[in-house]
């Protein structure tokens, strides 16, 4: 009985792994050959729907700094915050209190991975985050996704990427790597880089461009 | 009253606090003309002995945390900090002589990546608790290269062009 059970469990695990592998391969293949929109998505009068993913702590602080000076074209700002993260909510409300143009909304999603959570249990919470971020992205249909890690941003980027890949909606995805990353991309940055999900990854140290040729360095931000 | 300020951020770093109040470091501080050592010790379990003026001629005081350490950074003539990115970048804005002490017991050393690079670019000096005293005595500490903070404007204009709301 136990051997049967464990054999069954093994089959399920292998099946799921093979399925995931196949999906990833298909996506990689599709991303190479699909006509993902390489053109700019807007003109100077456009009002853009922007999805801004606020990671937590330092990530949120850096993100708020970046979006604080965006112009009036970025009129519809939709912030995404992990549901346990009151700090980020406060930061967003503080920023938006100073803005008079356009409007903003906040959505909460489960966190992909708490600090010090094991990788196994984080697999489960990641699944939860993937599922719960689908309706958000489907209803939002953003023109632009801005994120800078950590894991919370991956499910969001993933769905936004699929919208774009299957030509539902043209979406630009931009990942901004932290200034802390001098030699290597962060875990989120690496995952997104190798899956080729963002349209652009910006880094803040020039030596990263040698190691990761598809990232861009436009100076310290 | 020349001030040295030690900060460990929101973590704990007892080895740094112990080193900072050791006779060798107090003597090194004194040789730089410093007569007040203020320590922000975070969650550390080691509390330094507070004294008005001991043999070394350096007054020692400490606190655990504050909402903002900006005022202490501004007042300081020398800053000694842990390698946290937040601490490094905030301190660099004040352009003070700056020593970063790495915590060898922490294995998650992506935090050091930034401090190491900033040291290589001459913005700060980098050491372990064991060689803090000799690092404070080094002349380069007074000849650090000022740090130029990032420019968000670059990001905004790049993004405007990238999405097409502004033409190149």
């Amino acid at each position: 009985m136990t051997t049967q059970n464990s054999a069954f469990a093994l089959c399920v695990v292998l099946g799921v792994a093979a399925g995931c592998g196949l999906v990833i391969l298909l996506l990689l293949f599709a991303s190479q050959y699909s006509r993902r929109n390489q053109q700019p998505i807007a003109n100077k009068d456009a009002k853009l729907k922007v999805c801004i993913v606020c990671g937590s702590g330092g990530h949120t602080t850096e993100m708020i700094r970046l979006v604080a000076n965006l112009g009036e074209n970025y009129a519809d700002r939709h912030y995404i915050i992990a549901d346990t993260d009151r700090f980020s909510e406060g930061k967003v409300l503080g920023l938006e209190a100073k803005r008079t143009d356009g409007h903003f909304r906040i959505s909460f999603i489960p966190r992909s991975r708490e600090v010090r959570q094991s990788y196994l249990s984080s697999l489960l919470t990641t699944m939860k985050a993937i599922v719960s971020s689908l309706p958000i992205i489907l209803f939002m249909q953003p023109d632009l996704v801005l994120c800078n890690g950590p894991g919370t941003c991956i499910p969001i980027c993933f769905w936004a990427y699929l919208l774009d890949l299957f030509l539902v909606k043209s979406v630009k995805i931009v990942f901004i790597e932290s200034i802390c990353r001098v030699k290597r991309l962060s875990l989120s940055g690496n995952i997104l880089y190798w899956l080729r999900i963002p349209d652009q990854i910006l880094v803040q140290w020039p030596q990263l461009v040698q190691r990761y040729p598809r990232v861009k360095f436009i100076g310290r931000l | 009253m020349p001030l040295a300020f030690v900060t460990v951020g929101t973590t704990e770093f007892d080895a740094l606090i112990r080193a900072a109040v050791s006779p060798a470091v107090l003597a090194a501080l004194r040789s730089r003309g410093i007569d007040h050592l203020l320590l922000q010790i975070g969650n550390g379990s080691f509390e330094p002995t507070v004294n008005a003026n001991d043999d070394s001629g350096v007054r020692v005081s400490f606190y655990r945390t504050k909402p903002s350490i900006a005022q202490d950074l501004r007042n300081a003539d020398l800053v000694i900090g842990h390698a946290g990115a937040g601490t490094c970048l905030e301190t660099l804005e004040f352009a003070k002589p700056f020593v970063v002490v790495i915590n060898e017991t922490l294995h998650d050393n992506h935090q050091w990546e930034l401090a190491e690079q900033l040291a290589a670019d001459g913005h700060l000096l980098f050491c372990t608790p064991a060689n803090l005293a000799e690092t404070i005595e080094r002349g380069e500490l007074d000849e650090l290269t000022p740090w130029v903070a990032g420019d968000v404007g670059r990001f905004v204009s790049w993004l405007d062009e990238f999405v097409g709301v502004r033409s190149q």
Side-chain angles (χ1 to χ4, degrees):
Chain A
M1 194 61 190
T2 29
T3 12
Q4 259 181 10
N5 274 347
S6 51
F8 178 69
L10 191 67
C11 285
V12 170
V13 169
L14 284 178
V16 168
C20 289
L22 199 67
V23 168
I24 288 172
L25 276 178
L26 270 174
L27 287 178
L28 278 176
F29 185 76
S31 69
Q32 295 304 299
Y33 294 100
S34 91
R35 286 177 295 165
R36 271 193 85 186
N37 194 356
Q38 297 301 310
Q39 302 302 311
I41 49 170
N43 57 44
K44 68 178 176 52
D45 302 314
K47 296 291 178 216
L48 296 169
K49 249 184 274 178
V50 195
C51 172
I52 301 158
V53 191
C54 297
S56 60
H59 295 278
T60 298
T61 308
E62 285 192 34
M63 182 55 81
I64 294 291
R65 224 183 124 247
L66 291 177
V67 301
N69 294 307
L70 292 181
E72 293 187 353
N73 294 102
Y74 305 84
D76 191 353
R77 298 173 296 276
H78 198 140
Y79 296 89
I80 298 194
I81 300 177
D83 52 12
T84 51
D85 186 4
R86 294 288 153 233
F87 169 82
S88 295
E89 190 184 2
K91 285 277 184 183
V92 169
L93 294 174
L95 170 70
E96 285 293 341
K98 289 183 225 146
R99 260 193 113 123
T100 50
D101 65 305
H103 47 93
F104 79 102
R105 269 174 299 172
I106 300 179
S107 296
F108 293 91
I109 60 165
R111 199 176 254 224
S112 287
R113 190 166 164 262
E114 294 284 349
V115 177
R116 282 187 268 278
Q117 190 184 349
S118 82
Y119 278 94
L120 194 68
S121 79
S122 68
L123 202 68
L124 273 176
T125 43
T126 302
M127 294 303 288
K128 230 169 89 184
I130 290 175
V131 171
S132 65
S133 49
L134 172 61
I136 296 178
I137 289 297
L138 263 183
F139 288 118
M140 190 192 314
Q141 304 243 338
D143 299 300
L144 173 67
V145 176
L146 296 177
C147 57
N148 63 349
T152 314
C153 71
I154 293 178
I156 298 291
C157 289
F158 177 74
W159 293 123
Y161 169 77
L162 288 189
L163 280 191
D164 190 74
L165 189 62
F166 294 115
L167 309 174
V168 178
K169 174 83 178 61
S170 205
V171 193
K172 292 275 186 208
I173 304 169
V174 177
F175 180 87
I176 305 102
E177 187 56 279
S178 161
I179 193 167
C180 305
R181 303 302 173 149
V182 179
K183 296 178 191 151
R184 286 188 178 80
L185 295 182
S186 59
L187 181 61
S188 313
N190 254 302
I191 292 173
L192 293 172
Y193 180 82
W194 293 109
L195 292 178
R196 296 171 183 255
I197 286 178
D199 294 271
Q200 191 58 259
I201 293 179
L202 295 180
V203 296
Q204 306 207 40
W205 291 96
Q207 57 267 47
L208 283 166
V209 183
Q210 263 104 61
R211 193 173 185 132
Y212 306 89
R214 297 192 304 277
V215 304
K216 193 175 179 77
F217 172 72
I218 57 167
R220 211 150 56 216
L221 307 176
Chain B
M1 204 162 76
L3 171 75
F5 177 54
V6 175
T7 175
V8 306
T10 51
T11 57
E12 53 184 289
F13 192 0
D14 283 346
L16 169 56
I17 303 301
R18 279 178 207 279
V21 296
S22 68
V25 169
L26 290 178
L29 292 174
R30 196 74 203 98
S31 75
R32 290 185 63 90
I34 281 164
D35 59 10
H36 182 193
L37 173 63
L38 175 63
L39 307 109
Q40 181 265 314
I41 68 167
N43 296 324
S45 49
F46 172 73
E47 289 193 356
T49 316
V50 176
N51 61 18
N53 208 340
D54 79 346
D55 306 339
S56 64
V58 180
R59 186 163 77 85
V60 176
S61 54
F62 77 92
Y63 63 90
R64 288 196 173 269
T65 53
K66 269 185 194 173
S68 167
I69 60 166
Q71 195 55 47
D72 294 321
L73 290 173
R74 194 169 295 119
N75 293 340
D77 299 281
L78 165 68
V79 180
I80 300 168
H82 74 135
T87 297
C88 286
L89 294 172
E90 187 179 3
T91 305
L92 286 174
E93 307 242 322
F94 292 91
K96 299 289 171 84
F98 184 24
V99 178
V100 163
V101 182
I102 57 167
N103 189 348
E104 296 152 295
T105 59
L106 279 184
H107 296 291
D108 177 21
N109 64 5
H110 89 252
Q111 288 275 336
W112 305 355
E113 228 178 86
L114 179 66
E116 256 172 334
Q117 182 66 44
L118 295 171
D121 293 346
H123 302 300
L124 50 84
L125 296 185
F126 193 63
C127 70
T128 61
N131 53 28
L132 178 57
E134 55 199 82
T135 307
I136 291 169
E137 283 165 352
R138 277 166 62 185
E140 300 102 295
L141 199 46
D142 299 301
E143 290 150 21
L144 296 174
T145 314
W147 165 257
V148 181
D151 179 3
V152 184
R154 274 190 199 127
F155 171 73
V156 174
S157 37
W158 174 83
L159 190 66
D160 281 351
E161 280 172 23
F162 186 70
V163 298
V165 297
R166 204 177 59 180
S167 48
Q168 279 151 9

